[in-house]
Amino acid sequence: MQPPQNATVYIVDDDAGVREALAWLLRSRRLGSECFDSGQAFEARLQTGFTPQPPCCLLLDVRMPGLSGLALFEMLVERGLVDVMPVIFLTGHADVPTAVAMVKRGAFDFCEKPFSDNALVDRIEQAIARSAQVGQARREQQQLQARLAELTQRERDVMERIARGLPNKLIADELDISVRTVEVHRARVFDKMDVRSAVELANALRGV
């Protein structure tokens, strides 16, 4: 799997040796990284208004003094960041049950120390791919909302009925307008929503 060239892997670990080793490993695989020596440091970065942008992922040590990896993870869950920034826990053997519980809470995976470089990078690349998919879906949703905002109320009325599969005559009867007016609105809806058929329109609106 070839990861996106603009991907960033955030590393949060209080062990400088681990941070340096991971950063070197990622550079060898052409992956960018940014290191933090504590949960507080990463939290402070978020407090500045920084929002992780896909494609990215987070390597998070479970046990750290001060703000633990688990506490930081809960903060990320509350802020809705674990979808766009998948979290891979770095854990010791004793922490495996806790890491498994965090996966059930939405973490992407966990990697037990000492970890296999190849296995870890494989999971990182998969996490980055997930992040890229989430980012693309969010961009498409934003584009859809922008298109919907361009519709007049009458166009929305016609669109909703087109999506339900109603023919022009029934739409005209329901809205008490002429069939010709429905045809005009239909053409405008298709143009503004960037679709070519009622099926495409219905599929686009499923995410609304």
Side-chain angles (χ1 to χ4, degrees), residues 31-162:
L31 285 168
S33 65
E34 188 172 343
C35 296
F36 299 83
D37 61 8
S38 67
Q40 294 97 314
F42 193 76
E43 168 66 7
R45 179 71 184 279
L46 294 176
Q47 292 289 355
T48 66
F50 163 72
T51 301
Q53 296 298 316
C56 64
C57 75
L58 172 63
L59 299 183
L60 181 58
D61 189 23
V62 171
R63 293 192 180 188
M64 293 182 290
L67 184 65
S68 70
L70 302 178
L72 177 59
F73 176 75
E74 292 296 342
M75 291 181 180
L76 298 176
V77 171
E78 291 176 2
R79 297 180 184 185
L81 293 176
V82 297
D83 289 332
V84 72
M85 183 179 62
V87 176
I88 299 175
F89 277 107
L90 303 178
T91 175
H93 177 71
D95 298 319
V96 168
T98 300
V100 171
M102 291 302 99
V103 169
K104 293 179 180 179
R105 285 276 291 137
F108 185 78
D109 204 350
F110 67 92
C111 188
E112 188 176 352
K113 299 175 182 179
F115 44 77
S116 159
D117 288 355
N118 288 335
L120 178 58
V121 171
D122 284 347
R123 291 305 283 157
I124 289 171
E125 290 181 344
Q126 290 161 14
I128 288 171
R130 170 83 63 82
S131 173
Q133 291 172 355
V134 170
Q136 179 62 29
R138 289 189 177 185
R139 286 190 293 273
E140 291 174 355
Q141 183 66 21
Q142 290 169 352
Q143 292 169 358
L144 176 60
Q145 293 298 334
R147 293 186 185 118
L148 288 171
E150 294 180 0
L151 299 176
T152 65
Q153 185 56 54
R154 180 59 81 189
E155 288 167 351
R156 283 175 175 267
D157 294 338
V158 171
M159 176 185 70
E160 187 270 336
R161 289 162 175 79
I162 294 172

